Amino acid sequence: MALNDYFDGLQHVGIPSKDLDKTIEFYKSLGFDQAGLFHNGENRCAFMRYGNLTVETWEGDPVAMENGAINHISMNCTDVDKAFAAAKEQGFNVLDDEIQSIPTFWDNGIRFFNIQGPNHEKIEFCQIVK
């Protein structure tokens, strides 16, 4: 069992936003389409898509406002339960004690977990619930 058996590519890049409406308009001006706008508690989260590139941007978290401000990259997970087990088995630095979920994203929610890379980068493994 290997972690890469359970993802099939990049799902999105996560960038926190100081002003979500301005961020949405910025990406639209670059030709991105708004693929989704969801609530996560009191905050909103937008997914902006251009071809096969998706940027997740959201309000409510601190924003670095300096170079290196990307919060995470997300791999498109085909089986998050098996991926979680494989990540632990392979000895990755798993940041979550259990699989996380946000039921308000997409039609049926998402399930995900994060690992940390050697440069303190966060890599999310996210499955959109069908």
Side-chain angles (χ1 to χ4, degrees):
M1 170 178 355
L3 181 54
N4 64 313
D5 291 335
Y6 305 107
F7 65 88
D8 60 8
L10 183 67
Q11 187 182 93
H12 65 262
V13 176
I15 303 173
S17 175
K18 183 176 177 181
D19 181 327
L20 187 61
D21 294 319
K22 281 176 115 172
T23 302
I24 290 169
E25 288 309 311
F26 171 77
Y27 281 97
K28 282 183 176 179
S29 75
L30 292 174
F32 282 69
D33 292 319
Q34 184 176 309
L37 180 64
F38 306 104
H39 287 275
N40 186 11
E42 295 294 315
N43 298 310
R44 298 173 301 153
C45 176
F47 287 84
M48 306 300 296
R49 187 169 293 146
Y50 187 89
N52 66 350
L53 172 62
T54 302
V55 172
E56 173 192 15
T57 184
W58 66 94
E59 57 194 6
D61 280 342
V63 179
M65 299 301 289
E66 60 185 51
N67 293 338
I70 292 174
N71 179 273
H72 66 276
I73 64 168
S74 178
M75 306 309 288
N76 190 56
C77 216
T78 56
D79 188 325
V80 73
D81 295 296
K82 289 181 180 176
F84 189 63
K88 288 175 156 183
E89 184 177 298
Q90 286 183 260
F92 286 104
N93 183 7
V94 179
L95 299 175
D96 300 297
D97 292 333
E98 59 188 28
I99 295 171
Q100 307 297 302
S101 67
I102 301 176
T104 56
F105 284 17
W106 305 111
D107 290 334
N108 298 306
I110 62 170
R111 298 181 67 229
F112 65 96
F113 68 93
N114 297 282
I115 67 171
Q116 192 163 66
N119 304 297
H120 213 71
E121 66 271 27
K122 189 168 27 170
I123 303 167
E124 176 183 274
F125 294 84
C126 183
Q127 183 173 9
I128 297 172
V129 178
K130 303 285 182 195

